[in-house]
């Protein structure tokens, strides 16, 4: 609590600072990309509303990730046979294992990032009539 008070007094938002300190880089990097997409979308036409379509989509992706994490934990702890079958399937899936798995995993991430950017600009919702610079 004392560190958070010092940070706030210094003008540094304590919540993003704490998230950056607590989470590993593999989790923080997508958050950083999301922040960059938000800044770009805001610059290119997002009105900055608290309930913009981009914010709603990002919230849905976060909730979906949390639900998927719960399902994975449930599979590993309770449905062990199902988890073993998924493990065998992952060995033949180029997105999950193999020489190019890390590079291939960037493809769906880039697709989601592009979708989030265009929705954040209200492009996908209003047919592209958002003001652009």
């Amino acid at each position: 609590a004392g560190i958070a008070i010092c940070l706030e007094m210094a003008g540094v938002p304590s919540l993003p600072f704490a998230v950056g300190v607590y989470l590993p880089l593999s989790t923080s990097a997508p958050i950083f990309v999301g922040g960059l997409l938000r800044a770009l979308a805001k610059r290119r036409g997002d009105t900055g509303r608290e309930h913009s379509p981009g914010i709603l989509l990002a919230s849905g992706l976060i909730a979906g990730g949390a639900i998927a994490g719960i399902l994975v934990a449930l599979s590993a702890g309770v449905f062990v046979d199902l988890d073993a079958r998924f493990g065998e399937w992952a060995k033949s899936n180029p997105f999950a294992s193999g020489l190019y798995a890390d590079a291939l995993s960037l493809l769906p991430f880039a697709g989601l990032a592009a979708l989030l950017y265009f929705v954040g600009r209200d492009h996908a919702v209003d047919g592209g009539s958002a003001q652009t610079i």
Side-chain angles (χ1 to χ4, degrees):
I3 293 172
I5 291 170
C6 290
L7 286 169
E8 291 293 337
M9 289 174 62
V12 177
S14 58
L15 183 61
F17 181 85
V19 168
V21 168
Y22 175 73
L23 293 176
L25 187 59
S26 62
T27 305
S28 300
I31 294 171
F32 176 72
V33 171
L36 287 176
L37 290 172
R38 170 70 174 158
L40 285 172
K42 192 171 186 177
R43 189 170 175 215
R44 294 289 185 180
D46 186 1
T47 59
R49 299 180 313 251
E50 290 292 325
H51 58 281
S52 72
I55 296 289
L56 294 175
L57 177 61
S59 298
L61 291 173
I62 291 168
I67 292 170
I70 291 169
L71 292 175
V72 167
L74 188 65
S75 169
V78 177
F79 304 110
V80 180
D81 292 337
L82 179 64
D83 188 57
R85 280 189 255 149
F86 275 129
E88 288 299 318
W89 170 78
K91 289 178 183 175
S92 64
N93 183 352
F95 285 90
S97 65
L99 185 60
Y100 301 108
D102 290 337
L104 285 174
S105 67
L106 290 175
L107 294 174
F109 181 77
L112 284 173
L115 175 67
L116 185 59
Y117 172 73
F118 284 112
V119 169
R121 283 183 55 189
D122 292 337
H123 220 284
V125 175
D126 66 3
S129 64
Q131 176 183 358
T132 57
I133 297 174

